[in-house]
DNA sequence: TACTAATATAGCCATATGGCTATTTCAATA
DNA sequence: TATTGAAATAGCCATATGGCTATATTAGTA
């Protein structure tokens, strides 16, 4: 996953409410009106959280009648875990540091 | 990992600067004065980032002479990835919803 | 066509965040 | 001891965030 996308996705996950929403969606698709009583926060607040999760492709939505059901994008969640364990190679940065004599080689 | 700790750790990772610091530490231990020219931000800003990473156990520090070297806590990073792929079971929340007749069972 | 229910959007507000400069602390050294 | 260099802390500021209420939008129904 592209580096800044990864940071964005982690940021979206780094809120207890959104993380719990992800855990709930991992069990079962949910609509907004189910999440409201679980969290005890307003409907617009839940909607805003869903919007953030959707923006980083962690959830998808599907309208069913008057409800909008949200599903977890498990692939994206896996990709995040994978990316965390396969962080990009930044040796170029160290080469640059060395070129400028800024590497600290201690002991 | 405890749920709120996980959210805190993800939040710490959810910033491009800190995520890149983690990626850099994955290659090699670094001190603050090496990170400053890499990011082009002030020394106190780097220090603050290191402090946040330390608070969620993603890095450890070791003083060597006048420098403080930071190391990645790979175990913690792995734990985060693992926890993401093994989110807690929140069926109780759905039981509660059902008890209150708030489950939306559509189609 | 109204009316209701679910969801989204707009906009407000208090707090958190990520940058900065100035200053302090701590270790090495002249 | 005085000085220098690295890192941490304090405190400022602009922006982002996560809550809220009010209002729009959309689908189902009387």
């Amino acid at each position: 996953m592209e580096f800044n996308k990864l940071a964005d996705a982690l940021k979206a996950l780094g809120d207890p409410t959104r993380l719990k929403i992800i855990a709930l969606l991992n069990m079962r698709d949910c609509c907004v009106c189910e999440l409201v009583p679980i969290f005890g926060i307003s409907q617009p607040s839940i909607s805003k959280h869903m919007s953030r999760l959707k923006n980083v492709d962690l959830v998808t939505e599907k309208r069913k009648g008057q409800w909008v059901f949200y599903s977890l994008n498990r692939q994206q969640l896996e990709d995040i875990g994978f990316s965390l364990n396969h962080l990009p190679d930044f040796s170029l940065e160290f080469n640059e540091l060395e070129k400028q004599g800024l590497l600290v080689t201690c002991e």
Side-chain angles (χ1 to χ4, degrees), chain A:
Chain A
M1 188 178 335
E2 194 270 317
F3 193 73
N4 284 297
K5 294 281 176 196
L6 176 59
D8 287 344
L10 290 167
K11 190 170 193 174
L13 288 172
D15 169 82
T17 300
R18 283 192 295 269
L19 187 59
K20 184 167 174 180
I21 289 173
I22 292 296
L24 290 163
L25 292 180
N26 189 39
M27 318 218 55
R28 176 185 184 289
D29 291 355
C30 289
C31 53
V32 172
C33 66
E34 290 173 316
L35 295 172
V36 168
I38 290 179
F39 289 96
I41 64 179
S42 72
Q43 172 268 312
S45 296
I46 296 287
S47 276
K48 213 197 270 183
H49 283 306
M50 300 319 290
S51 174
R52 289 204 54 174
L53 292 171
K54 199 172 50 176
N55 282 339
V56 296
D57 298 319
L58 272 164
V59 306
T60 57
E61 59 182 349
K62 187 185 299 183
R63 182 172 275 278
K64 293 190 183 172
Q66 57 188 329
W67 298 281
V68 175
F69 277 81
Y70 285 92
S71 310
L72 175 59
N73 181 348
R74 295 191 165 75
Q75 184 60 56
Q76 180 74 345
L77 191 60
E78 271 176 43
D79 286 354
I80 292 168
F82 181 88
S83 298
L84 269 189
N85 291 312
H86 298 79
L87 291 167
D89 183 311
F90 279 118
S91 358
L92 281 178
E93 305 283 5
F94 291 112
N95 295 343
E96 199 56 38
L97 267 196
E98 182 157 34
K99 204 180 301 175
Q100 303 178 329
L102 295 174
L103 265 193
V104 176
T105 40
C106 158
E107 71 185 1

